[in-house]
């Protein structure tokens, strides 16, 4: 094996240049361009073109050996230790059978970066494919996969070309065995293992290759991750196969990146299906599963969005039938009802018809259709999770993941665990000494981790309490400014109320607080997880997932929980108001609008959900686009002549091990918004649908254009996120039932309609839902500063069901209050039981694995065993027949006969 460095590279360039010149001469001779001076005058031919060959290639300089991985480093003047580490590491890579080729820094764009290209020959690939139990094809599948789809022609506009959707044929596959190479369909050893498998194998070697000197055993000096963390190498990555906007010039390159960009990553393809098989082939199963899940989630959102839109349209169409809002807006009814002040001193008495607009707005979301929609979403989330299991099972079969167990790269001990755990003990299974964390140390770390989590969650709650205090304090200020909105704020006074102004500003402040806290929580969660020293990569990712979701859950949803379940529930009545932090603070607990708190919950949900999605898209798309715009524009001008393939990829962003973690987290938080609080805002699924259509293309664009090619990794499911989605789905049934019962005004209206209405209609409901209080009983320090605001009235009204002044049970709850409370509890119990029964029935009716997939898996296993049996029998026959042959048979003829026999039996 010969390594090619600086001098050899110059010689190779001279040879390639002479070859290129002769080719150009031959090509130009037919066009009448024979002299070099004439060639120099041709447009597009510069001095660089003449001195360098095409550098946009994924092959070594010989044009035969494929570059499977690239390492880059900067040779620092004072980096003797790093040089020594690199020498030992590269020497050990060569001992492992890898072939290396170095690009000198003088040929790089920055004149200081070296690039080490790595090629894995057939023997290395075959050995590690055997070790990793990689499945490879041994026979073309004869099981029909086509399914007749009714009205198939309707889906033609959404389809992609067949070579993009199915980039490779369907084969029977089996774990690779180096001793049975003639069993597999090996037409060309150089192309038998696809690039994604090759870079996975090479990374497996890099992650385990030591860099200590021979004769010394220092387990902490092992793996490319350690060398990247200590700065010995600056980057390690596999290469993209071509530029994303143009096909590769070399016909042997697959140009899969170009196909992905053309048919998948562009926003104009938003209505097209995703080429999942090509994504899986190029990026690996783990990334393929993510986009399959995201696409399926978006498809299911379409049905929820349509139903939510129907519910909203029903609210609009029934706008004129809303008797309660008409009474509130009526000058003789709502205009004659004087309401008690909503805060002390600063707030005046006010007439009910001042909330006319908010009552109409509330009806759009708080109507009879909302109950149906809440029940529908409880069933929808079950259908989504159950149908995803079926879709996932089908992908497992199609992508050869049925017998897949967690990848060894994920289950291997983390280098950090080996370094920090100095204690050793005997592993009873492997009978080898391995590091372990003592139980006392583990408990101490877990206790510190739990205390840190509790502290930061308490900080979130403290911030929410601060926002609530802001709402209470600022409401009084808004109330003092907007006393008579029609007179004092001519332009927008009809649309602004103290409640609306307070809600919008508080929601915006809360959103800013959430985004600031997120910045810290990501780092805190990683620090806590690192402190616990998880043993394996899979354990590390699962623990980080749990902590991050816990932080995000409290951070994003706590304000919505406050508005839905706490605001307006602990107010008491005018003579005995409840105060936050005690009466001395003068911060009286907030009351709901006479139309209910549902409209405020809708406002809170829209601002946080839409703000988060907008900010996320800006971070994911616009910022990288602005950062890379200039370099991308420069790179498009003959990049194959100026920048090599490895240099073009080196300037891209690195796709970290936790890259998909943040993508899943973003979608799961969105899933919580559209399920936990969807009863308050039926249009939430529609907003999520529009966002996800954009999200798929933004993520595709990032992977295709902004990120280096990640190392292919296997995964058969979405991992710990599946259990989180199940937990959110169960919790959503409870939250929506409570929202409909306690936040919505639906149950009080139904009780009045069927139990207290004399006319069998909603007439008189507004007056019935308001209790009476004598103004003279209000403490003078709490009376409004403007004494003329109540026009010498003796009573005011407030939202509650209490006996009037002068009654034997003055200001205690009436029987109607208890009837409504009983109806609310009954509604919660009935709705939860109905939805849960339907959920469990649907889950029982829909099997996790489709019956045809089960049959195909069993059929394929049977055929594989049959082919293996026939292969072993014929192999034994060949060995026995060879022992009786006395005449020497040429190697070529024997191999030909052998393959003919094997092909017949297979």
């Amino acid at each position: 094996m010969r390594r090619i460095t600086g001098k050899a590279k110059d010689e190779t360039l001279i040879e390639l240049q002479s070859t290129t010149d002769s080719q150009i001469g031959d090509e130009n001779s037919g066009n009448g361009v024979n002299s070099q001076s004439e060639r120099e005058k041709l447009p597009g031919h510069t001095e660089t073109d003449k001195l360098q060959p095409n550098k946009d290639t994924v092959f070594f300089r010989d044009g035969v050996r494929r570059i499977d991985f690239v390492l880059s480093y900067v040779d620092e003047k004072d980096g003797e230790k790093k040089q020594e580490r690199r020498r030992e590491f590269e020497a050990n890579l060569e001992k492992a059978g890898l072939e290396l080729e170095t690009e000198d820094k003088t040929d790089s764009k920055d004149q200081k970066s070296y690039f080490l290209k790595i090629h894995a020959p057939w023997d290395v690939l075959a050995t590690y494919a055997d070790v990793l139990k990689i499945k490879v094809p041994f026979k073309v599948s004869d099981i029909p996969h086509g399914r007749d789809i009714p009205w198939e022609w309707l889906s033609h506009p959404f389809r992609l070309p067949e070579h993009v959707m199915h980039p490779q044929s369907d084969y029977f596959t089996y774990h690779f065995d180096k001793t049975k190479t003639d069993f597999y369909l090996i037409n060309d050893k150089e192309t038998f293992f696809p690039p994604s498998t090759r870079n996975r194998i090479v990374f497996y070697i890099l992650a385990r290759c030591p860099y200590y000197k021979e004769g010394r055993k220092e387990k902490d000096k092992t793996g490319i991750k350690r060398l990247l963390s200590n700065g010995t190498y600056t980057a390690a990555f596999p290469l993209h196969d071509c530029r994303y906007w143009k096909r590769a010039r070399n016909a042997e390159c697959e140009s899969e990146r170009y196909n992905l960009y053309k048919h998948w990553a562009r926003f104009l393809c938003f209505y097209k299906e995703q080429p999942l098989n090509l994504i899986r082939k190029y990026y690996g199963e783990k990334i393929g599963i993510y986009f399959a899940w995201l696409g399926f989630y978006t498809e299911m959102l379409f049905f929820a969005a349509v139903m939510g839109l129907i519910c909203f349209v029903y609210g609009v169409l029934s706008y004129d039938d809303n008797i309660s809002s008409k009474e509130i807006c009526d000058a003789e009814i709502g205009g004659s009802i004087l309401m008690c002040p909503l805060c002390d001193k600063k707030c005046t008495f006010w007439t009910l018809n001042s909330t006319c607009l908010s009552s109409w707005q509330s009806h759009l979301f708080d109507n009879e259709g909302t109950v149906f929609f809440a029940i529908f979403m409880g069933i929808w989330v079950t259908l989504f999770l159950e149908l995803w299991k079926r879709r996932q099972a089908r992908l497992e079969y199609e992508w050869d993941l049925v017998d897949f167990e967690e990848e060894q790269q994920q289950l291997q001990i983390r280098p950090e665990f080996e370094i920090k755990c100095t204690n050793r003990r005997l592993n009873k299974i492997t009978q080898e000494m391995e590091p372990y964390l003592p139980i006392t140390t583990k408990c101490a770390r877990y206790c510190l981790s739990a205390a840190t989590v509790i502290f930061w969650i308490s900080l979130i709650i403290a911030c929410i309490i601060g926002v609530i205090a802001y709402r209470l304090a600022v409401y009084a200020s808004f109330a003092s400014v907007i006393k008579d909105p029609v007179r004092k704020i001519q332009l927008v006074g009809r649309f602004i109320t103290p409640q609306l102004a307070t809600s919008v500003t508080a929601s915006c402040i809360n959103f800013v607080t959430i985004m600031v806290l997120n910045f810290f929580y990501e780092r805190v969660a990683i620090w806590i997880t690192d402190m616990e020293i998880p043993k394996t990569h899979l354990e590390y990712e699962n623990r980080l997932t749990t902590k991050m979701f816990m932080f995000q859950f409290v951070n994003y949803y706590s304000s919505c929980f406050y508005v839905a379940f706490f605001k307006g529930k602990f107010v008491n009545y005018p003579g005995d108001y409840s105060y936050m932090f005690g009466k001395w603070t003068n911060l009286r607990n907030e009351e709901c609008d006479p139309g209910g708190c549902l409209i405020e919950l809708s406002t809170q949900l829209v601002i946080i959900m839409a703000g988060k999605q907008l900010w996320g898209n800006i971070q994911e798309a616009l910022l990288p686009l602005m950062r890379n715009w200039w370099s991308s524009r420069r790179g498009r001008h003959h990049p194959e002549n100026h920048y090599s393939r490895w240099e073009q990829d080196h300037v891209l962003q690195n796709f970290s091990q936790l890259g998909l973690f943040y993508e899943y987290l973003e979608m799961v938080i969105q899933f919580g918004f559209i399920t936990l609080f969807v009863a308050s805002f039926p249009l939430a699924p529609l907003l999520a649908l529009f966002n996800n259509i954009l999200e798929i293309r933004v993520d595709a664009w990032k992977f295709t254009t902004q990120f280096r090619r990640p190392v292919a990794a296997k995964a058969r499911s979405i991992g710990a996120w599946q259990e989180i989605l199940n937990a959110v789905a169960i919790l959503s049934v409870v939250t929506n039932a409570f929202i409909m019962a306690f936040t919505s005004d639906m149950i009080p209206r139904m009780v009045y309609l069927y139990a207290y209405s004399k006319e069998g209609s909603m007439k008189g409901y507004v007056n019935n839902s308001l209790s009476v209080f004598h103004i003279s009983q209000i403490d003078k320090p709490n009376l409004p500063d403007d004494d003329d605001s109540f026009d010498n009235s003796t009573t005011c009204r407030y939202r509650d069901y209490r006996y009037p002044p002068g009654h034997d049970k003055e200001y205690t709850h009436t029987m109607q209050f208890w009837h409504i409370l009983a109806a609310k509890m009954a509604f919660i119990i009935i709705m939860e039981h109905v939805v849960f029964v339907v959920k469990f029935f649907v889950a029982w009716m829909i099997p996790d694995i489709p019956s045809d997939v089960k049959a195909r898996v069993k059929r394929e296993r049977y055929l594989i065993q049959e082919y293996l049996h026939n292969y072993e029998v014929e192999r034994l026959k060949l060995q026995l027949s060879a022992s009786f042959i006395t005449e020497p048979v040429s190697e070529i003829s024997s191999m030909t006969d052998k393959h003919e026999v094997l092909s017949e039996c297979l």
Side-chain angles (χ1 to χ4, degrees), residues 796-825:
C796 64
R797 309 294 291 273
Y798 60 99
R799 180 182 171 86
D800 207 344
Y801 295 91
R802 294 178 183 272
Y803 289 109
H807 194 277
D808 294 340
K809 299 179 180 179
E810 185 180 60
Y811 302 135
T812 59
H813 285 121
T814 63
M815 284 304 299
Q816 186 174 355
F817 170 84
W818 299 109
H819 289 161
I820 292 173
L821 181 62
K824 289 180 177 180
M825 300 306 297

Side-chain angles (χ1 to χ4, degrees), residues 229-288:
S229 63
N230 60 31
T232 303
Y233 290 100
T234 56
F237 53 93
L239 293 178
H240 283 292
D241 59 3
C242 65
R243 292 161 286 164
Y244 65 85
W245 66 89
K246 189 175 182 181
R247 290 186 179 277
R249 296 176 65 179
N250 191 334
E252 296 182 12
C253 292
E254 298 83 359
S255 296
E256 292 172 348
R257 186 190 187 193
Y258 168 77
N259 286 331
L260 285 171
Y261 176 75
K262 180 180 179 182
H263 299 286
W264 178 51
R266 295 187 303 168
F267 183 73
L268 294 178
C269 301
F270 72 92
Y271 63 94
K272 296 283 189 179
E273 59 185 336
Q274 293 190 89
L276 295 177
N277 290 317
L278 184 58
I279 297 170
R280 172 244 181 171
K281 183 173 182 286
Y282 192 74
Y283 291 114
E285 287 79 2
K286 191 171 185 179
I287 293 177

Side-chain angles (χ1 to χ4, degrees), residues 43 188 225 510 827:
D188 184 357
K225 291 184 180 179
N510 190 59
F827 173 83

